[in-house]
Structures are given as C-alpha cells and as structure tokens.
Amino acid sequence: FGFTLLPWCEVVLLSPEARVKAPFVGLGVTTQAAASVALASVMGAKAATWHILTGDWLSAEDAVTYGLAEKVLPSSDLLPEALALAHRFAGQPPQAMRVTTRLLRQGRRTGWESALEREYHEMAQLAGGQENIEAIGSFFDRD
C-alpha cells in the first residue's frame, strides 16, 4: 500500500533502505487508492504503467527521481528531519496552511476521486476470483 499512498502525501522523506512496489496485477487484482491516475499524474504515465504492470521494486532514490518523495536521508537523520519539518509547518499561520493545503489537494483530487470509484468497482470484481486466489496461493507456496 505504501507505493499507492505516496502521491497522496504532501511531503515524503525516505531512508535509503525504503523500497515500494505495486503488486496488484501479480496478485490477480487491480490498483487501489486511485493509483491508476494518481501515480501517472505524479511520476508520469510511462513510469507508472511500467511499475504497475511489472510489479518491479522502486528504490528510495527512484521515488525521488519520479517525484514521489522529496528527499532520501540516512536512517539516523530521518526522524529528526521529519520532526524539524513538522515544527516548521506548525510555525506557519494555521489558517493559511489549512487553506493552502486544501487548495493543493483539491487540484489533484478531482480526477483522483473518480478513479477511486472505478478501482473499487473493478477490485470488487477481481478480489476473491480465481486468478486472485491462484496468485495468492503461488505467493505463499514460494520457497
């Protein structure tokens, strides 16, 4: 779920060990969290299509390259940097932060919300189906 969550986040900081992937097709289902639209709008259609269809891992550095994260930080610096950033945000005028954040989200959510509904419908059709059950079985049967 981490990969599909990234486009929804305002700010993403990752450690070098972080990696994400979209396992959906390999598990016999489809995208969730509007990933069919959100990932393409953030990282580009070709890169999103590649990672969604192949299920290839995406490194922390790749996430920054594709615009899914802002920084890769040493693990020991991750929490202090995140807390410092949170303090910076908290020090901004609250009403201006709320309105600006809402406007930033609203621009991208318009198309994403309809993608959510389409994906929920398709997921309901695929989840628990023969391909999904076989794919999950194969996943647990691996050595």
Side-chain angles (χ1 to χ4, degrees):
F1 184 68
F3 188 33
T4 56
L5 181 64
L6 294 178
W8 291 90
C9 299
E10 270 68 48
V11 176
V12 176
L13 307 175
L14 298 172
S15 73
E17 299 82 20
R19 62 186 195 142
V20 294
K21 71 184 229 171
F24 311 112
V25 174
L27 292 175
V29 292
T30 192
T31 51
Q32 64 179 9
S36 60
V37 173
L39 288 170
S41 72
V42 172
M43 65 188 297
K46 293 284 192 183
T49 299
W50 177 269
H51 286 282
I52 290 170
L53 295 181
T54 65
D56 284 354
W57 286 101
L58 192 75
S59 70
E61 293 81 13
D62 289 338
V64 171
T65 299
Y66 288 127
L68 293 167
E70 282 64 48
K71 289 183 181 181
V72 177
L73 300 164
S75 297
S76 60
D77 295 344
L78 196 58
L79 183 58
E81 178 98 13
L83 290 172
L85 187 58
H87 286 289
R88 275 182 73 187
F89 289 160
Q92 298 282 39
Q95 183 65 10
M97 284 293 282
R98 277 191 295 278
V99 168
T100 303
T101 302
R102 186 184 76 236
L103 291 170
L104 289 166
R105 288 179 182 166
Q106 191 172 17
R108 65 182 184 242
R109 287 187 73 154
T110 303
W112 294 11
E113 287 174 351
S114 60
L116 275 171
E117 296 207 16
R118 290 190 307 269
E119 289 177 359
Y120 290 149
H121 172 76
E122 298 298 339
M123 182 68 80
Q125 303 301 310
L126 295 171
Q130 183 177 349
E131 287 182 350
N132 178 230
I133 291 169
E134 289 173 3
I136 290 172
S138 294
F139 176 81
F140 286 110
D141 289 340
R142 292 188 292 184
D143 292 335

